Amino acid sequence: MIKIKIKKNNGFIILFAVTLSSLILAMALSVSNIALNEMKFSTNVRDTNDAFFAADTGVECALWSDKPVTKFPVVGPAVALICAPVAPTYSGGVNTGLYTFVVTGLGSNSAGCAKVTVFKDAASSPPYTVTTITSKGYNIGDSSCNSTNPNRIEREIRVSY
């Protein structure tokens, strides 16, 4: 009679290799997930900066145009601005004036824009004019500063004096 010796640890190497491969795969997927999230975050930060600086550019355009001789009188009409491609639109009452204009071609890829409103109120007492500038900056926008892009980011700056 021939005795056959049966090894009790058959398949251990395959089990060990599969376990080690699974562990390495899990670590690789974790690292790639972290890298993907960091890329999304850095893109979001760039777009946020573009929107904020577009809003800041809109405020600076309005401030520069309002001093020393205002291009935004309390009672219109609108006057063309150097920093905006289209003259502001004017609407107002007896003691108030509201101007709106758009600044385009802003941001790191020149796709950003800002919608700016300048409100002049001469009805304050004692008699002086209060000016409020509101600038909404966007990272993406067309010549009218409109967009349907779901990744559009808006930042707003308001200045009163």
Coordinates of all heavy atoms in Angstrom, one line a residue, residues 6-12:
I6 N -1.0 14.1 2.2 CA -1.8 15.3 1.8 C -1.3 16.5 2.7 O -1.3 16.4 3.9 CB -3.3 15.0 2.1 CG1 -3.7 13.8 1.3 CG2 -4.1 16.2 1.8 CD1 -5.1 13.4 1.5
K7 N -1.0 17.6 2.0 CA -0.6 18.8 2.6 C -1.9 19.6 3.1 O -2.8 19.7 2.3 CB 0.2 19.7 1.7 CG 1.6 19.1 1.4 CD 2.4 20.0 0.6 CE 3.7 19.4 0.2 NZ 4.5 20.3 -0.5
K8 N -1.9 20.0 4.3 CA -3.0 20.7 4.8 C -3.0 22.2 4.5 O -4.0 22.9 4.7 CB -3.1 20.5 6.3 CG -3.4 19.1 6.7 CD -3.6 19.0 8.2 CE -3.9 17.5 8.5 NZ -4.1 17.3 9.9
N9 N -1.9 22.8 4.0 CA -1.9 24.2 3.7 C -1.9 24.5 2.2 O -1.4 25.5 1.7 CB -0.7 24.8 4.4 CG 0.6 24.2 3.9 OD1 0.6 23.3 3.1 ND2 1.7 24.8 4.4
N10 N -2.6 23.6 1.4 CA -2.7 23.9 0.0 C -3.6 25.1 -0.2 O -4.6 25.3 0.5 CB -3.4 22.7 -0.7 CG -2.4 21.6 -1.0 OD1 -1.2 21.8 -0.9 ND2 -2.9 20.4 -1.3
G11 N -3.3 26.0 -1.1 CA -4.1 27.2 -1.4 C -3.8 28.4 -0.6 O -4.3 29.4 -0.7
F12 N -2.9 28.2 0.4 CA -2.5 29.4 1.3 C -1.9 30.5 0.5 O -2.2 31.7 0.7 CB -1.6 28.9 2.4 CG -1.1 30.0 3.2 CD1 -1.9 30.6 4.1 CD2 0.2 30.5 3.1 CE1 -1.5 31.7 4.9 CE2 0.7 31.6 3.9 CZ -0.2 32.2 4.8

